[in-house]
Amino acid sequence: MGELERRGRHDDSSGTIGHRRATQGARYRARRCTRLVLLCLSPALLGGCTIARDILYAPLAHSTVPPVWAHGDPTRIAVTAPGNRHVAGYYWPGAPGDPDIFVFFHGRHMNALTGAKFAQYLLGRGDAVLVASYRGFGDNPGLPSEKAMMQDSRAFIAQARRLAGPQARIWLVGHSIGGGVALQAANENEKESAVKGAFIISGFTRVSAAVPRLLRAFVPDKWDNLAAARAARLPLLFFSGGMDRYIPAGSGEALLAAAGGPSLLLVNAQMPHNPDMTVLGPWISAAANDLGAGAELDALPPPPSGWAIAARRP
């Protein structure tokens, strides 16, 4: 825990950076959730709070900036979720004979294409990468919800198993709300030998923790990541940024404390909500390769530039 203690002393000596960050984040969340509650209270929305979910997930319909791919163009790929819904994502194949495949779950106000911009930096060691998405995001039909997004995640994990073959080693990577998807999926796949672990970037404890207490009853979905982490027995690696204005401070520590299996918390005092995957992606790839080869958490490569290991369990 030495790195966290040093960060605390630095914040105290530099004008309470952490306090200002928490205050600014709280004000932003309060404004956002006030809008959500007003919409939920509208008589037209009492049948399911559809607009509230639109605000919660803010699914991005189109990407305005053409991507530049570091490892070649991905293939657009679709899976079939319950209800015969077709949900599209992107895929990069791995090297012949390599059993590792990453399934990347993107966050709020994104889509499969913007998620692929992050996920492409998991490539480079011969591993395959499958970028998942959800109904209602991009040009995928339907409406997002916790239940629906988890159904979509199961379809993508099943597709990853088919793509990687009988010796598949599946690694789940989730960013923000996608971290909730990855945590629940890791829990669901505890007995599925193909799923080997999960990497959670900018994860929260519960989605309600990001809103004022009096407004929590109006949040349409739970996303209880503490419960999911507690139930999981697969290795969980959490990544927390000190400049994240969306996720309450201490969320990474709380998730680590709740984890039911081997877990690790890495922190970067300068990271905002969206990570620099050019740095973080290659490290995650290396860590997954080592874990797949039988390495323990304390034998993983040194943290990437700007990151430090805050704590590990057990």
Side-chain angles (χ1 to χ4, degrees):
M1 301 295 286
E3 177 63 21
L4 291 180
E5 294 170 357
R6 288 193 293 273
R7 287 172 57 210
R9 289 196 295 269
H10 175 73
D11 287 350
D12 291 342
S13 64
S14 60
T16 62
I17 293 173
H19 175 73
R20 290 201 305 272
R21 174 211 155 199
T23 301
Q24 292 169 356
R27 289 173 181 167
Y28 173 83
R29 292 191 295 271
R31 290 194 300 269
R32 177 165 53 104
C33 293
T34 297
R35 291 173 56 208
L36 183 150
V37 170
L38 290 174
L39 288 167
C40 284
L41 291 177
S42 168
L45 299 176
L46 292 179
C49 206
T50 300
I51 296 181
R53 282 198 169 93
D54 285 343
I55 294 173
L56 176 61
Y57 299 115
L60 187 63
H62 303 287
S63 300
T64 57
V65 180
V68 176
W69 303 116
H71 297 279
D73 294 356
T75 300
R76 186 173 169 86
I77 190 169
V79 302
T80 303
N84 201 33
R85 292 182 179 273
H86 298 288
V87 183
Y90 287 93
Y91 173 65
W92 282 273
D98 192 312
D100 291 302
I101 182 169
F102 289 100
V103 183
F104 184 87
F105 297 104
H106 66 72
R108 175 186 184 272
H109 197 53
M110 297 181 71
N111 58 34
L113 188 61
T114 56
K117 294 179 185 178
F118 285 85
Q120 65 178 318
Y121 298 104
L122 296 167
L123 293 159
R125 289 178 173 266
D127 305 332
V129 175
L130 177 62
V131 181
S133 194
Y134 328 103
R135 65 195 70 180
F137 287 74
D139 57 2
N140 292 323
L143 297 173
S145 68
E146 183 173 7
K147 179 180 179 180
M149 292 165 69
M150 290 310 303
Q151 290 176 338
D152 298 338
S153 76
R154 295 179 195 114
F156 275 101
I157 290 173
Q159 179 67 27
R161 192 178 297 111
R162 288 190 291 269
L163 289 167
Q167 303 302 316
R169 293 196 300 235
I170 300 173
W171 306 93
L172 310 179
V173 182
H175 171 237
S176 190
I177 201 77
V181 178
L183 272 172
Q184 288 197 34
N187 182 21
E188 292 178 356
N189 286 273
E190 177 186 342
K191 296 180 181 179
E192 170 53 62
S193 59
V195 177
K196 298 300 183 181
F199 300 82
I200 311 302
I201 306 168
S202 302
F204 50 83
T205 55
R206 300 180 182 90
V207 74
S208 60
V211 306
R213 186 177 299 275
L214 293 177
L215 306 184
R216 292 175 183 175
F218 299 101
V219 178
D221 290 321
K222 291 183 178 180
W223 290 112
D224 189 345
N225 290 345
L226 286 176
R230 191 175 296 117
R233 295 297 179 268
L234 299 172
L236 302 176
L237 286 82
F238 302 100
F239 302 85
S240 180
M243 302 299 288
D244 191 332
R245 69 185 181 116
Y246 297 99
I247 306 300
S251 296
E253 290 84 350
L255 288 167
L256 180 80
S263 52
L264 185 68
L265 172 63
L266 291 90
V267 296
N268 183 332
Q270 302 303 315
M271 190 191 87
H273 186 65
N274 291 339
D276 181 356
M277 288 296 287
T278 64
V279 173
L280 194 56
W283 188 88
I284 291 176
S285 176
N289 275 267
D290 286 359
L291 290 171
E296 301 293 336
L297 290 180
D298 58 2
L300 295 182
S305 175
W307 290 86
I309 295 176
R312 65 169 58 89
R313 294 183 64 207

